[in-house]
Amino acid sequence: MLEAAMLGIPYEPPAHRVGGGGGGGLGINGVGIGGGSGYGSGGGGEWDNGMPPLAEVAEGRFLRNEQDYAYEESLRLDRAKEAAARAKREVEELVAAEAAVKAAEEAAAASKATAERDAAIAAAANALPNEPPVGGDGVVDIAIRLPDGRRVRRRFHRSHPLRAIFAFLVSAEHLEPGSYRLVSQLPRRVFEDNTAEVEAGAAAPTTLEAVGLTAKQEALFVEMVV
């Protein structure tokens, strides 16, 4: 009776659950007693009321719950993996975009610097006066030691502006304007490039003769500005 109440089925007295068994004995709760070992009403393994025992029902529910839990857990793990992969892709895309922007900025800056250097070299070459002949009157042969230890020479006239020497170094040796000065030894004298001031009209051109570079041969060296 308790089993029927729990399963929600009509209660049948034991008399209605008599198994035929193999030898006609009584069947109690589906187990034949007497001549055979049959189950249920006919000894063939059937339940008399068509319902499984409580233990089997509970086991079935447990298995279904386990399967449902495993399925939900699998879905949860899959969603977590997809979210992690999506977040990783977004980070990688952001890093790639930032790298692309940085590379474009660096390329633009390098291109601008190259254009400015080329323009400065071209302007210096245009501002450079013609080299006077050897041995001419007022000709000054100037030897200049570069930062890498090399020496370059060129002739100027003492009437040429001092900035002509700087123009020569920019056009021939590609030194950056404003990054260096010229120095003579014994006694030490420092010569600054005033090209920008002259071009802006803020200063008058200074000649080699005005700064004392008048000997037939002069020696200078490049001193980089820190």
Side-chain angles (χ1 to χ4, degrees):
M1 178 183 294
L2 178 59
E3 177 182 349
M6 295 180 67
L7 293 175
I9 59 177
Y11 172 71
E12 295 181 6
H16 293 279
R17 291 181 287 168
V18 177
L26 281 177
I28 299 175
N29 289 335
V31 179
I33 301 175
S37 59
Y39 287 83
S41 61
E46 300 291 338
W47 293 295
D48 292 339
N49 56 11
M51 300 296 292
L54 284 177
E56 294 188 14
V57 172
E59 183 179 1
R61 289 176 180 172
F62 176 78
L63 290 176
R64 284 194 300 272
N65 290 338
E66 287 290 308
Q67 291 172 352
D68 291 344
Y69 175 78
Y71 177 70
E72 293 295 333
E73 183 67 9
S74 177
L75 287 180
R76 187 188 67 80
L77 292 176
D78 289 343
R79 294 191 189 102
K81 289 179 181 178
E82 291 176 0
R86 183 169 56 253
K88 182 180 179 181
R89 287 195 302 270
E90 291 175 353
V91 171
E92 291 175 347
E93 290 172 357
L94 179 61
V95 171
E98 292 177 349
V101 171
K102 183 179 180 181
E105 292 175 348
E106 291 176 350
S111 178
K112 180 181 178 181
T114 299
E116 292 176 349
R117 183 191 62 195
D118 292 344
I121 292 172
N126 291 333
L128 189 62
N130 293 330
E131 188 172 15
V134 177
D137 185 34
V139 174
V140 182
D141 187 357
I142 300 179
I144 305 170
R145 181 161 56 85
L146 301 175
D148 60 6
R150 293 183 299 115
R151 289 181 180 273
V152 294
R153 304 179 71 94
R154 193 185 191 278
R155 295 185 302 278
F156 296 89
H157 194 276
R158 60 189 179 188
S159 63
H160 287 163
L162 175 65
R163 62 193 181 100
I165 304 177
F166 291 90
F168 163 66
L169 293 174
V170 171
S171 62
E173 299 299 327
H174 300 177
L175 296 183
E176 183 180 354
S179 65
Y180 66 98
R181 56 195 172 196
L182 296 173
V183 179
S184 67
Q185 293 178 327
L186 301 176
R188 176 182 170 86
R189 291 178 295 170
V190 177
F191 306 100
E192 301 284 353
D193 184 8
N194 66 345
T195 300
E197 290 80 359
V198 171
E199 291 178 351
T206 302
T207 64
L208 271 63
E209 185 173 12
V211 297
L213 296 175
T214 57
K216 288 188 176 294
Q217 291 185 342
E218 295 281 0
L220 304 173
F221 65 91
V222 173
E223 184 176 83
M224 303 304 296
V225 178
V226 178

